[in-house]
Amino acid sequence: MVFAVAALAAVVVSGMLVTDAAMVSDFAQKNLAPSLAHPFGTDWMGRDMLLRTLAGLSTSVLVGLLAATVSALIALVMGAVAALGGKRADAVVTWLIDLMMGVPHIVLLILISFALGKGFWGVTIGVAITHWPSLTRVIRAEILQCKQSTFVAVARKLGQNPVRIATKHMLPYVLPQFLVGLILLFPHAILHEAAVTFLGFGLPPEQPAIGVILSESMGYLSAGMWWLAVFPGLALIATVLLFDVAGSNLRKLIDPHSSQE
């Protein structure tokens, strides 16, 4: 887990440091295949694809982090309202979950991003709004299970008020699932950001992002410049797998049912 987190941090920091260099064009070096000087090759404008890939991954990871964090907080609030707000609140939240999950993520994300003018904030808000239902169901179930537990019943009989019960008992009970759900939201957010940008409804073309790189490379694959899509695509897959490794190992560490594995 530490290795995965360190690798992701290295990708983000290195991408931020090379953003300006990734935009530099050198037409004398255009369309070069992978070599020692340019491990990922160069594109039709002579830009180094390794630098562009790092800058694109950094942008995609930052969008995913922000969107996943906001989405997880929405899920925490909605799950708590559903579990503690009574039957009517539970019915409303359940209806919203079914409504959101009834529409494909990518379609709803495109509509929200387009309505908000696309760009960084359009795709970030779109991802944040569309990714909370699954985690909300988990948090709702965890809070309901905690609410019916023996130690909460004892706390009520001892005269503890609802706020103290929520902060002392329910929050620690739900926190492990919330943290794991938050980390596992990151790869979904990154992939959907890349997909929407690839389709032209996300980040602008002038901003280095994996979706932009992959979209631009499609017009050059028939000319034999396979490296324009292969290396950025593999880098995106590796980044998503790193998040999955971090989330899976964190679950083993903090989940009481698997902490002894």
Side-chain angles (χ1 to χ4, degrees):
M1 185 184 71
V2 171
F3 169 76
V5 172
L8 290 168
V11 167
V12 173
V13 173
S14 61
M16 294 175 68
L17 293 176
V18 303
T19 299
D20 293 335
M23 305 293 289
V24 176
S25 301
D26 183 4
F27 288 95
Q29 301 288 325
K30 67 178 183 179
N31 300 332
L32 296 181
S35 62
L36 292 178
H38 303 284
F40 284 14
T42 61
D43 64 4
W44 59 96
M45 295 178 65
R47 295 173 295 188
D48 188 273
M49 288 303 296
L50 175 59
L51 299 182
R52 279 180 59 78
T53 300
L54 288 174
L57 281 177
S58 177
T59 302
S60 297
V61 169
L62 289 175
V63 171
L65 288 174
L66 181 58
T69 301
V70 174
S71 188
L73 292 175
I74 294 174
L76 180 62
V77 172
M78 298 293 282
V81 169
L84 304 174
K87 292 183 178 180
R88 289 187 178 180
D90 189 19
V92 171
V93 172
T94 303
W95 178 79
L96 286 174
I97 292 173
D98 293 338
L99 178 65
M100 296 292 290
M101 298 189 74
V103 181
H105 269 170
I106 194 70
V107 175
L108 188 58
L109 179 50
I110 288 174
L111 292 175
I112 295 173
S113 179
F114 185 78
L116 295 176
K118 301 186 286 186
F120 178 86
W121 289 110
V123 68
T124 302
I125 295 173
V127 173
I129 292 177
T130 57
H131 283 70
W132 57 268
S134 297
L135 183 56
T136 300
R137 282 183 168 179
V138 174
I139 292 176
R140 172 183 172 274
E142 290 291 321
I143 294 178
L144 287 175
Q145 186 176 1
C146 179
K147 186 179 178 181
Q148 298 171 359
S149 62
T150 305
F151 56 87
V152 171
V154 171
R156 288 199 190 96
K157 291 183 178 180
L158 291 175
Q160 293 186 9
N161 58 54
V163 175
R164 182 172 175 80
I165 291 175
T167 55
K168 188 177 180 180
H169 299 291
M170 292 187 177
L171 184 60
Y173 190 89
V174 175
L175 189 60
Q177 293 295 337
F178 172 77
L179 291 176
V180 173
L182 170 62
I183 292 178
L184 293 179
L185 272 178
F186 293 151
H188 290 278
I190 293 171
L191 285 175
H192 280 116
E193 177 274 321
V196 171
T197 302
F198 177 83
L199 295 173
F201 296 96
L203 299 175
E206 66 272 10
Q207 187 171 0
I210 293 297
V212 172
I213 294 171
L214 294 176
S215 178
E216 291 176 345
S217 68
M218 292 298 103
Y220 297 87
L221 290 180
S222 59
M225 289 183 278
W226 52 269
W227 58 87
L228 297 180
V230 171
F231 290 122
L234 291 176
L236 177 63
I237 294 173
T239 303
V240 170
L241 290 178
L242 284 174
F243 274 112
D244 185 64
V245 169
S248 300
N249 284 279
L250 182 62
R251 174 180 289 173
K252 290 180 181 179
L253 288 173
I254 64 179
D255 188 352
H257 300 292
S258 61
S259 60
Q260 302 302 319
E261 292 182 3

